[in-house]
Each structure stands twice: as structure tokens, then as C-alpha cells.
Amino acid sequence: MNPTNPSLDSRTSLEKCFSPAKINGLELKNRLIKAGTFENMTPLGVPGSTLSAFHQRLADGGIAMTTLGYCAVTADGRLNENMMYMHEGIRAPLTSLIHSLHERGTAVSGQMGHCGGFSKNRELQRRRPLGPSFAINGLGLSQGMFFADAMSIQDIDEMVDQYRDAAQFMKSVGFDALEIHFGHGYGLCQFISPKTNKRKDEYGGSLENRMRLPLRVLAAVREAVGDAFPILGKISMSEGVRGGIHYDDSVVISQMLDRAGIDAIVCSGGTSTMNPMLMFRGDNMLPTMLATEKSLLMRLILRLAGKSMFRDYPYTDLYFLEQAKRIREAVNCQLVYIGGATGNDNFADLMDAGFDFIQLGRSLLSDPELPNRCARDAGFKSRCVHCNECVGTIESPQGIHCTRY
Ligand SMILES: Cc1cc2nc3c(=O)[nH]c(=O)nc-3n(C[C@H](O)[C@H](O)[C@H](O)COP(=O)(O)O)c2cc1C
């Protein structure tokens, strides 16, 4: 802080936020990145005009890089059958979507996801979804898919290959960066978490063992895309559940990823499977979920168990800042802040705290023009009120949207 003129400092920090910066070999025009938010705009898994229009609006709004949320690395890695998975059948529409964003001066990242044992995909090729250990498949209950099976070593080897193949495909269709999802309770997170990984072999037990698959995946993706291509990794710093990943673990997890050559870590938290509100903060989405859930069984489960899963976490701006700062001190790679960054005052603080980039989720759903508005007006702040209805209505036929504006 400049003690004689604090506003000068914040102006300098904001100038930094709106100036170009590199992730590995990729130059971004500013430090603002659209966070991966599964768009639900790929009916039957095909990226079409709705998804294109959604990202084009973001590109026109000034974001440096947009992220296509949850690109499943394989068909069985989808949470449901309307998710996109990486295969030749979508090469043409995906290439043209990415091309249209490049024409607008925006880079495109693809979030590489695999649901592991958490799926309601009715087109599952296996009998059951596969995770690190046999478990109840909470998401699949409505479809009568009650359980997930434990992966064999051969399944693990196949999963590494699926990430490698998907990465190769994604680079070839024009993605500028890839973001491996290590968090939020999905497949790789299920391995990292002692809560969900009960294996007795070299993929379970110690943190070193639990990180074996995620690190093999990172190595395979790196092999596929080469040294100069940006690879980000999104982690859950804490799952917010007893016996799960804790903030202390995430410092070590980040150091392992850093040593293994990741370019940037996105410091998120919570899990979609056990404690989603830790990730989102703000209004509890349980009432919206109850109102929109079609399955009678799921409604019953939500009524009985919803309160323990959807806990209240009041919203504050930059709610992961203190924990993410610990990671900043512990690693050399670049860091991407995520969680309640909503305006120029936050952006300046994050630049001062040494974060390299900032991911924005709900504030951009509320207003895709936010980056341009912030660049024009130093006092600008998002109009998002963290009602979380964009999450509660995620399965709406129109895709994700802000229900207020
Ligand atoms: C509608 C919606 C869908 C989301 N889908 C994903 C997703 O597919 N992958 C993911 O990593 N995070 C997902 N998230 C979480 C966001 O990436 C982000 O971590 C969270 O919204 C907190 O950031 P914010 O305060 O900027 O919104 C989603 C968020 C929203 C609002």
C-alpha cells in the first residue's frame, strides 16, 4: 500500500489486472478468465449455436479467456447424457465455436472432467459408474443407479489414456489451454480424498498414493500437448467434510502439482457431491433444488438429507482469499483466484496478493459485459446477489442463466 496515496496503488493494481499476461506460451489480453460453469447447452452432447452464443457474449464482454465447462474426457465420464464428451463426432462444431471466439480476440480453455463414481448418465457403457472404491452413487439414485464400483488397475490405466487422448483431441480442435478438474468431488478428486478413496493398493492410503492417478493424468496430458501449452488444474482446497481433503492437505497437493509441471492452479473448494455450498456461498440453493427436482425419490432424499448436505455459508467477497494465499506462499507456479471476485476493488486486492489471474463465475453469468465495464469504470461492482438460482436451475432447458437479469 502507498501510505500517502492509497488510490494510486489501487489504480496501479487495476492497470495490472487489465494488462496482458502469459500462462506458459499463451498471452492473455488481461487477467480475467471465465470460470468453468457447466453450461447445459449441449443437448445430446453436441455443441451448437446456443453454446456458441453464450461464449460469444462473454468474448464480446472483454474476458481474456473463456472456459468451456466440464468437457468429459470420455463418454462414461459424463454426469449425464447431455454433457459433451471429447470425440471425433463433435470436431466440426467445436472447431467452429472455438474459431468464432478467436475471431473476437478471446482465448479458449477446456475443462477436462470425469465424474468417477458420481453419475446419472443413462447411456453408461459400463454396468455402474467407476470410482476409486465401491460407494453409493448419490447422483444416480433418481435413475436407479444406486452404486459405483471400484476401478481395477486396468481401469485406472485406461482412464490415464482417456485423458491423454482427450487432451490431444482438444489441442487439435483449437483449445488454447486445458484445465484439469482435480476438485469438486469428481473423478480425480475422489482419488485425492481420503473420504472417498478407501483403496488398499498403491492408489490409496497416503496422500502420495492418492495423488498417484492425478499426477499420472497430469503427465499424460502434458505428454499429449507439449511443454509450451498451458495446463491449469482446479483443486478443492477443502471438501468441508469430516475425513475429507482439508486446507492443510491442499498446500501439499498444490506443491505436488507444481513440482509435476502444472502451469497454474485454480484454488476452489467444496464438493458437488457432499458440500456444494462451501464452493458457492450465498443463498442456500436447497429450496430451488426441491422446487425443480423432477424425481420423487430425489425430492424425498433432499428433504431428508438436504440440510446436512446444503449447509449455510454466508457470502462475503473473496471468500477463499486467506486459504488461497497460503498456497501462493507455497508454490512457484501461477495461481488463479476463484470465489466471490466481483469488481475492481476485489481485482486490485487479488493483484496485490500476488495472484496471476482471476476466474469469475456467477458475476459473468449475471453480466457478461463485466470485464469491459470494469475496465471503463474503476468503481464498478457486479450486480450478482449470489442467490445461486443459476446453480439451482442448472438443468433448465434453456441452459444456465441468471434468473434476475
Ligand atoms: C451454474 C454454475 C455451474 C458450474 N459448473 C461448474 C463446472 O462445470 N465445473 C467447475 O469446476 N465449477 C463449476 N461451477 C463453479 C464455478 O466455477 C466457481 O467455482 C463458483 O461459481 C465460485 O465462483 P464465483 O463466486 O465467481 O461464482 C459452476 C458454477 C455455477 C454458478
Side-chain angles (χ1 to χ4, degrees):
M1 243 321 164
N2 181 336
T4 51
N5 191 349
S7 65
L8 193 66
D9 270 342
S10 101
R11 209 171 55 224
T12 318
S13 311
L14 271 187
E15 272 167 19
K16 185 175 171 193
C17 181
F18 289 99
S19 63
K22 277 186 150 188
I23 306 186
N24 199 336
L26 174 71
E27 180 162 292
L28 299 183
K29 65 185 176 191
N30 61 48
R31 312 292 183 116
L32 301 177
I33 300 174
K34 163 69 176 53
T37 57
F38 169 58
E39 299 88 353
N40 190 25
M41 293 172 186
T42 47
L44 303 175
V46 181
S49 56
T50 314
L51 186 69
S52 297
F54 175 83
H55 284 282
Q56 285 162 2
R57 280 190 72 197
L58 289 160
D60 292 340
I63 203 81
M65 179 157 78
T66 190
T67 305
L68 266 62
Y70 207 100
C71 302
V73 295
T74 184
D76 277 6
R78 294 174 295 173
L79 291 153
N80 66 53
E81 56 283 358
N82 282 322
M83 281 187 146
M84 179 167 63
Y85 71 97
M86 297 300 105
H87 67 293
E88 285 299 328
I90 57 168
R91 176 176 289 279
L94 203 48
T95 307
S96 105
L97 159 59
I98 294 170
H99 180 68
S100 75
L101 299 171
H102 286 164
E103 279 182 333
R104 290 167 161 81
T106 299
V108 189
S109 174
Q111 185 177 60
M112 305 184 80
H114 193 299
C115 62
F118 185 68
S119 171
K120 62 172 180 177
N121 177 4
R122 285 173 297 196
E123 292 173 0
L124 209 62
Q125 288 160 13
R126 302 277 192 143
R127 192 168 69 99
R128 289 174 175 162
L130 297 178
S133 308
F134 178 79
I136 291 179
N137 169 24
L139 188 63
L141 297 177
S142 62
Q143 305 299 329
M145 298 161 63
F146 300 117
F147 301 106
D149 279 333
M151 289 166 78
S152 66
I153 296 292
Q154 192 189 340
D155 295 325
I156 288 176
D157 291 344
E158 275 175 22
M159 191 192 247
V160 174
D161 289 341
Q162 288 159 355
Y163 272 92
R164 184 187 291 106
D165 292 348
Q168 234 158 31
F169 172 77
M170 291 170 87
K171 187 179 177 192
S172 77
V173 294
F175 281 102
D176 303 283
L178 297 178
E179 180 182 294
I180 305 174
H181 210 328
F182 295 110
H184 294 181
Y186 299 118
L188 296 176
C189 187
Q190 291 161 20
F191 270 81
I192 301 172
S193 169
K195 179 90 179 168
T196 44
N197 183 342
K198 305 290 181 195
R199 296 179 75 92
K200 302 279 181 253
D201 61 5
E202 69 267 36
Y203 290 93
S206 64
L207 180 58
E208 197 188 359
N209 279 357
R210 286 182 276 120
M211 282 296 288
R212 197 175 301 280
L213 173 60
L215 291 175
R216 281 189 66 193
V217 163
L218 173 57
V221 171
R222 175 60 76 204
E223 191 186 303
V225 297
D227 287 343
F229 195 86
I231 304 178
L232 298 84
K234 189 168 184 176
I235 63 165
S236 282
M237 294 185 290
S238 164
E239 290 181 293
V241 291
R242 200 187 300 265
I245 299 166
H246 192 266
Y247 289 113
D248 291 341
D249 306 319
S250 68
V251 174
V252 186
I253 291 166
S254 302
Q255 287 170 328
M256 290 167 126
L257 294 171
D258 186 23
R259 276 199 300 274
I262 201 136
D263 295 307
I265 297 174
V266 186
C267 305
S268 186
T271 69
S272 301
T273 48
M274 296 179 281
N275 189 357
M277 292 308 301
L278 184 68
M279 176 194 324
F280 294 111
R281 312 286 168 106
D283 293 358
N284 201 308
M285 61 183 98
L286 182 58
T288 316
M289 307 278 292
L290 274 167
T292 53
E293 178 57 57
K294 291 188 195 82
S295 152
L296 213 63
L297 177 63
M298 277 310 271
R299 274 211 304 278
L300 183 68
I301 292 168
L302 282 172
R303 272 192 208 292
L304 293 174
K307 281 227 165 67
S308 64
M309 183 174 167
F310 292 88
R311 288 179 238 159
D312 285 321
Y313 290 93
Y315 177 86
T316 53
D317 276 359
L318 304 185
Y319 46 83
F320 281 136
L321 182 57
E322 290 315 309
Q323 287 81 14
K325 271 184 181 170
R326 288 183 61 197
I327 296 182
R328 178 63 296 168
E329 283 160 21
V331 298
N332 295 315
C333 65
Q334 292 188 313
L335 273 202
V336 183
Y337 180 83
I338 190 166
T342 56
N344 277 331
D345 50 346
N346 299 155
F347 301 164
D349 288 349
L350 291 169
M351 291 295 110
D352 290 344
F355 292 93
D356 300 282
F357 296 94
I358 303 166
Q359 282 198 357
L360 307 171
R362 291 163 293 178
S363 54
L364 282 175
L365 295 182
S366 160
D367 180 7
E369 272 282 325
L370 181 127
N372 282 344
R373 293 191 214 280
C374 283
R376 282 196 299 265
D377 171 3
F380 194 82
K381 192 87 185 146
S382 163
R383 61 191 181 184
C384 173
V385 293
H386 321 106
C387 64
N388 286 322
E389 291 202 1
C390 53
V391 192
T393 58
I394 197 165
E395 297 205 342
S396 148
Q398 72 186 95
I400 55 167
H401 61 284
C402 176
T403 59
R404 302 206 169 210
Y405 300 103

